Amino acid sequence: MCCPVLPEQILSGSNMGELAAVVRPDERYPLDAPERIHVFMASKPTRKPYPSDLSDARWALMEPVLTAWRAERQKTSPNLGGKVTDLREVMNAILYVNRTGIAWRYLPHDFPPHTAVFSCFSDWSADGTIEKLGVRLHRLVREKEGRDPEPTACVIDSQSVKTAHTVPTSTQGIDAGKKIVGRRRSIAVDALGLLLLVMVAAASVSDNEVGKQLLTRTAAAHPTISKAWVDTGYKNQAIEHGTRLGIDVDVVPRNAQVKGFSVLPRRWVVERSLGWIMMHRRLARGYETKETKPEHSESMIRLATISTLAQRATGEPPPTWRDA
């Protein structure tokens, strides 16, 4: 059951008038209890805010997608996705984990229970709700920048990251070139650096192989794309595969005469996007441990970009390295 509220959270609220009647408030329920107390909370949190909390403007952009999810869940079961707690607080808790990098069970007590928050995160990852949020905000930002909602070109790159000791070994691999044991994140972004698609695989999987899958998904999700820029890790197989999909894949080589870092045409856009992602501490390593649920890792990357997209869509100042 998603998003329960415990009695101790209800009794600590500063404004009891905003809460509905509580069922059996004299009893206490552990986190793993089968029964839950259902209550509808005010949309505006009454606690002291965290820096990662959604503003009213950003929540207004996300609310339609999440309320639609709740309505859909109510069709199948009245006890799932119903009026159990504020979806805004659930999203605030998920963004808190994403930004700070803490484990789920270390969530501060003024958020909903960590089991409920993780349950919603897992549901939203599995049914594509987080992806829908990203698509909605992506279109809004492009229109605000004076672009067409759908892009016509993309830039693809990958990043190998180490994994935590709790991650199953079957989901890891060795990137021989970078000498990293972990996972490979491959992303496709538009010309503005906004995320289009993401794939997470073992670091041992080649750019070439992941690139072909990413191109296939890109062509299906964004049929208007006819151009893609990649680095030299994507060989002839990926280029030929892109041609079959109607996408002209252009390799942007590194300048052999320049040592160290250099800004490369087109590729700098996706490198900057990877930098934006790394500002969220949950993504400093591969922490998601669900062996059969790779969408959890992908959702964490999407959430990092959703946070930035929402700020750009509302005109709020984005985070910087100084306050990361």
Side-chain angles (χ1 to χ4, degrees):
M1 182 172 295
C2 183
C3 315
V5 176
L6 299 183
E8 57 265 35
Q9 290 179 300
I10 295 170
L11 297 179
S12 64
S14 60
N15 189 350
M16 296 299 293
E18 295 179 347
L19 303 179
V22 180
V23 182
R24 296 191 294 177
D26 56 320
E27 296 185 23
R28 300 180 65 84
Y29 294 80
L31 291 182
D32 57 351
E35 298 185 48
R36 301 295 188 192
I37 290 180
H38 296 177
V39 60
F40 182 69
M41 298 181 65
S43 179
K44 183 87 170 181
T46 57
R47 56 172 173 77
K48 185 178 180 179
Y50 294 102
S52 58
D53 282 355
L54 294 170
S55 65
D56 291 340
R58 280 182 282 157
W59 170 243
L61 298 178
M62 300 185 187
E63 185 178 17
V65 176
L66 298 183
T67 52
W69 168 84
R70 169 171 281 172
E72 188 65 27
R73 292 296 293 269
Q74 286 179 321
K75 293 179 182 178
T76 57
S77 174
N79 296 325
L80 294 176
K83 291 184 176 182
V84 287
T85 194
D86 191 355
L87 291 176
R88 178 173 179 174
E89 276 292 78
V90 173
M91 180 56 74
N92 281 336
I94 294 174
L95 293 177
Y96 184 93
V97 171
N98 184 266
R99 186 58 186 235
T100 63
I102 63 170
W104 291 103
R105 62 179 61 251
Y106 283 85
L107 267 175
H109 296 297
D110 47 6
F111 281 124
H114 74 272
T115 51
V117 175
F118 178 78
S119 176
C120 287
F121 168 75
S122 184
D123 290 344
W124 294 346
S125 298
D127 62 20
T129 299
I130 292 178
E131 186 174 358
K132 291 176 184 176
L133 270 176
V135 171
R136 171 182 170 82
L137 294 173
H138 178 264
R139 294 174 66 91
L140 288 175
V141 173
R142 284 188 60 87
E143 290 175 348
K144 183 179 179 181
E145 297 287 338
R147 304 292 187 102
D148 291 334
E150 282 296 323
T152 58
C154 68
V155 193
I156 297 175
D157 201 1
S158 66
Q159 174 191 60
S160 294
V161 293
K162 296 180 180 180
T163 46
H165 69 281
T166 55
V167 173
T169 56
S170 59
T171 66
Q172 305 177 50
I174 301 176
D175 184 338
K178 298 179 181 177
K179 298 181 176 60
I180 290 178
V181 178
R183 291 171 175 165
R184 184 186 301 277
R185 301 166 178 165
S186 298
I187 64 173
V189 302
D190 63 12
L192 297 175
L194 309 179
L195 185 69
L196 298 173
L197 289 167
V198 57
M199 287 185 61
V200 177
S204 55
V205 181
S206 68
D207 280 338
N208 205 39
E209 185 60 35
V210 177
K212 290 192 294 183
Q213 299 181 43
L214 201 56
L215 284 169
T216 299
R217 292 176 56 180
T218 300
H222 303 278
T224 56
I225 290 181
S226 59
K227 184 74 174 183
W229 291 279
V230 299
D231 64 17
T232 53
Y234 299 86
K235 308 299 181 182
N236 290 337
Q237 291 182 12
I239 297 174
E240 293 171 356
H241 185 71
T243 301
R244 288 192 292 271
L245 296 172
I247 300 176
D248 178 23
V249 180
D250 188 8
V251 177
V252 182
R254 187 179 297 275
N255 190 345
Q257 298 179 349
V258 178
K259 294 183 179 180
F261 174 79
S262 62
V263 177
L264 300 176
R266 300 295 182 181
R267 276 178 52 187
W268 71 270
V269 174
V270 69
E271 296 287 354
R272 182 186 59 178
S273 300
L274 291 171
W276 286 339
I277 290 172
M278 293 302 289
M279 292 172 65
H280 298 255
R281 294 186 180 183
R282 184 76 178 192
L283 300 173
R285 280 179 178 265
Y287 287 109
E288 311 313 313
T289 59
K290 290 294 184 181
E291 185 172 356
T292 58
K293 295 184 178 181
E295 66 267 16
H296 283 193
S297 297
E298 296 174 2
S299 288
M300 277 296 173
I301 297 173
R302 290 187 182 279
L303 284 166
T305 61
I306 283 172
S307 180
T308 303
L309 284 171
Q311 288 173 319
R312 292 183 64 167
T314 57
E316 299 176 15
T320 64
W321 290 105
R322 186 177 297 276
D323 60 12

